[in-house]
Amino acid sequence: MTCRNLYAFLTAIICLFAVSNASAQTKNNTLYTAGHASAFIGGLYDAVYPYNKVLKHGDFGLGAPDKLDGEVLVLDGKIYQTQSTGKTFEVKPTELTPFTVVNFFKAKKTALVRQKLTKNRLFSYLDSLLSNPNGIYAIKITGNFNFIKTRAFPPVKKPYVPLADMLPLQHFFSFENVKGTLVGYRIPAFMDGPNITGYHFHFLSDDKKGGGHIIELTTGDVTIEVDELDSFLVDIPQTKDFENFDFKKDRREEVKRVENGKKD
Ligand SMILES: [Zn+2]
């Protein structure tokens, strides 16, 4: 392991080392998307994919429960749901999801951070680690967090409206000095539409009692692990709702607002 100062504005010691894992790069290096992000954000909240089918494509990821009843995180092959009440629990693999993204996570690069980083500083630092702007990256961040703010949506009833119109209904949760894991991705712009591009993280506390979609955070001492993927697969819903969905509408602004949790 070599240790060097990678980032000028970080005064803390940051160690970066590549994990020798060449053989693992030859298989199971695919990002799998069950569902279609734009269609989901546009209101297709009915679940059609059993988690046990999703888990065949990965043991790490994030997504949404049936009828938008909170947020989903996949870690070590287990599925966790955080509802709008804050209740967090393990989900049976026989249950269904409308949209979940997974991969088999194998760390190819690891960095230790020993400094408080806000979300924006963390993303700037990640940008310095993730050298391929068009790369597909899975990112796992574990350790102590000084502050975490997450959100979860309440369950929806028909007629469904786009997710951006439901932002006033989202519930927020704050955690201070919490140990846990961030599970997420940096997805390149060319995958816009079927996937949510840019950074996207969900959180699970070590005691498995709290989680949700990340809105804000400040790290403490954390370990960042990165896996670069080389392909993606999108499993398209075989439903009438998907057949009739209008893909001509530009939903990029809506997606951005939903990801940031901001009403306008
Ligand atoms: Zn999310």
Side-chain angles (χ1 to χ4, degrees), residues 61-63 71-75 78-81 181-183 202-204 212:
L62 50 77
E71 311 275 345
V72 159
L73 174 145
V74 182
L75 183 62
K78 290 182 177 162
I79 306 135
Y80 299 92
Q81 179 173 350
T181 303
L182 297 182
V183 165
H202 287 189
F203 175 70
L204 181 68

Side-chain angles (χ1 to χ4, degrees), residues 2 10 15 52 54 77 94 116 123 125 135 150 153 160 168-169 180 194 199-200 207 220 222 236 239 242:
T2 57
L10 292 178
C15 303
N52 49 26
V54 175
T94 48
K116 289 183 193 173
F123 288 0
Y125 176 58
T150 63
F153 282 102
Y160 297 155
L169 302 178
Y199 288 107
H200 184 188
D207 64 10
V222 292
I236 295 165
T239 61
F242 188 79

Side-chain angles (χ1 to χ4, degrees), residues 62-63 71 151 196 200-202 213-214 259:
L62 50 77
E71 311 275 345
R151 71 103 192 276
I196 295 160
H200 184 188
F201 285 97
H202 287 189
H213 169 104
I214 286 291
E259 286 315 295

